[in-house]
Amino acid sequence: MTGSASHEGIGLDLEFLSEPALIVTVAGEVLGANSSARRLFAPATEIPSLFTLLEESEEEVRSYLRRASGSTTSLVGAMTVVAAGGAPTRFRTLAARLRARNGLGAALILRLLSVHDDQFSILNRRIREVDQQLRQRLKENALLQEALADNRVLVRELQHRVKNNVQQMLSLIRMSGAKDPSPGVAEVIATASRRLQAMAAIQEALYQNAGASTVSAADFLGQVVEGAALSCGAADRVQSAIPDVPMTAEKAHCLALIANELVTNACKHGLNGAVGGIRVSLAPEGAGLRLDVQDDGPGFEEGTTARSSGLTLVRALCRQIGARLEIVNEQGARCSVHFQSGLSAPERQ
């Protein structure tokens, strides 16, 4: 190894490189070095062969140099330098063929980069790690999407079966009622049928809704009100105003049964002969909703808020969804149910 930064005949100054750099031949002959390399290998001043500087075998080094000589693009490698008077030091190497000049022939520039200071290597490793994590996340996301699609199919199938089961129960109840025409049995059959019809309306709305977790009041409540009024023979005396308001399936189930009981109660006790009607409305109230069932009848008797056992069911359903039932006499009877939709503000929009 020469004592100058520029070997005679090479015409290449390596002092612009901060890391140790050598000019070598494919045969391992050291033709030149910069100051950093001379400091690394001190006190050796004349080392004609690269093989005497390295811990790797001559065969390994020759193979690396041959591959690097095939291109002017740097070939990445690794070498362990055995410097005089010091412990072996591991370096990341970059070797590339130099363009032939001054008749030099096949020579290479060999740069030794400290593995501790090699920020590009650290960055590349982190990029590879992030890329690997991203690929894993994408794979997991694909599996989750597939599982979600399967679950949606299962939920839709479940809703379909429940809807069919409710219809079958309704048919069985009506068949049972036909065998016993007594007034008491007929009333029980009619009450059970109205409640099942309310549940069937919800199941149909949920089945038609692809999400199957939320449902709009407009998709089921009007049908529930109309069905209850029709079964009581008062379909032409009930008016409803039901907006397109989304709510959770749990709230919808309870609201359908509540509306069925309140409309049935109003038809039985709130219609005064051929005069008067029933008005059903659902409207926003603050952060929640309010269901009103208003009739033009005589109202509730003084000191009582019960006209039928149906109100007992209404109160139980209100407790189930955290709703509040309010009953007042106001030009007839008005039953109001105050409740939350169960959805966050963005979901309600």
Side-chain angles (χ1 to χ4, degrees), residues 93-223:
T93 60
L94 297 175
R97 185 185 74 234
L98 290 173
R99 297 183 183 277
R101 60 179 70 187
N102 298 331
L104 182 61
L108 301 95
I109 179 171
L110 178 66
R111 300 165 59 189
L112 306 177
L113 305 176
S114 171
V115 295
H116 300 293
D117 300 330
D118 186 4
Q119 297 300 323
F120 289 106
S121 177
I122 296 174
L123 178 60
N124 287 334
R125 184 171 65 252
R126 289 180 177 174
I127 290 175
R128 287 195 299 270
E129 292 173 353
V130 171
D131 182 66
Q132 186 177 8
Q133 292 176 2
L134 178 59
R135 290 175 181 274
Q136 182 64 26
R137 293 289 179 85
L138 289 175
K139 181 179 179 180
E140 293 174 354
N141 186 62
L143 292 174
L144 288 175
Q145 291 293 336
E146 184 178 347
L148 180 59
D150 291 341
N151 286 340
R152 285 175 176 169
V153 172
L154 291 175
V155 169
R156 192 165 177 79
E157 177 63 21
L158 178 62
Q159 295 290 356
H160 179 65
R161 292 188 180 186
V162 171
K163 181 186 72 169
N164 289 344
N165 289 340
V166 171
Q167 293 295 343
Q168 289 177 357
M169 292 172 61
L170 191 56
S171 298
L172 290 173
I173 289 177
R174 287 171 176 170
M175 288 174 59
S176 300
K179 297 178 182 179
D180 189 344
S182 61
V185 172
E187 177 62 23
V188 171
I189 295 298
T191 300
S193 297
R194 284 192 295 269
R195 291 170 180 172
L196 280 174
Q197 285 175 334
M199 295 176 63
I202 280 293
Q203 292 304 136
E204 178 64 26
L206 288 172
Y207 179 71
Q208 296 300 329
N209 184 1
S213 60
T214 63
V215 63
S216 171
D219 292 339
F220 71 93
L221 197 54
Q223 183 179 345

Side-chain angles (χ1 to χ4, degrees), residues 307-328:
R307 292 192 300 198
S308 75
S309 60
L311 288 179
T312 302
L313 176 59
V314 169
R315 291 190 176 92
L317 292 169
C318 286
R319 288 193 296 269
Q320 183 175 331
I321 61 174
R324 177 172 60 88
L325 175 64
E326 178 186 17
I327 301 176
V328 296

Side-chain angles (χ1 to χ4, degrees), residues 198-264:
M199 295 176 63
I202 280 293
Q203 292 304 136
E204 178 64 26
L206 288 172
Y207 179 71
Q208 296 300 329
N209 184 1
S213 60
T214 63
V215 63
S216 171
D219 292 339
F220 71 93
L221 197 54
Q223 183 179 345
V224 171
V225 171
E226 181 180 353
L230 184 63
S231 67
C232 295
D236 58 339
R237 301 176 69 179
V238 178
Q239 298 177 342
S240 62
I242 311 298
D244 185 11
V245 179
M247 61 186 64
T248 63
E250 179 187 7
K251 302 275 184 175
H253 272 104
C254 291
L255 187 65
L257 291 173
I258 289 172
N260 173 73
E261 297 301 324
L262 292 180
V263 172
T264 300

Side-chain angles (χ1 to χ4, degrees), residues 10-66:
I10 297 177
L12 178 63
D13 191 350
L14 302 180
E15 292 303 329
F16 72 94
L17 297 172
S18 60
E19 70 274 7
L22 305 169
I23 302 298
V24 298
T25 66
V26 176
E29 181 185 0
V30 179
L31 303 178
N34 65 359
S35 300
S36 296
R38 293 196 303 275
R39 286 193 299 270
L40 174 64
F41 298 114
T45 57
E46 292 294 338
I47 302 179
S49 176
L50 179 64
F51 307 129
T52 61
L53 304 175
L54 305 175
E55 190 176 76
E56 285 75 20
S57 68
E58 181 176 336
E59 182 180 352
E60 290 178 297
V61 178
R62 283 182 183 275
S63 175
Y64 173 65
L65 294 178
R66 280 196 301 268

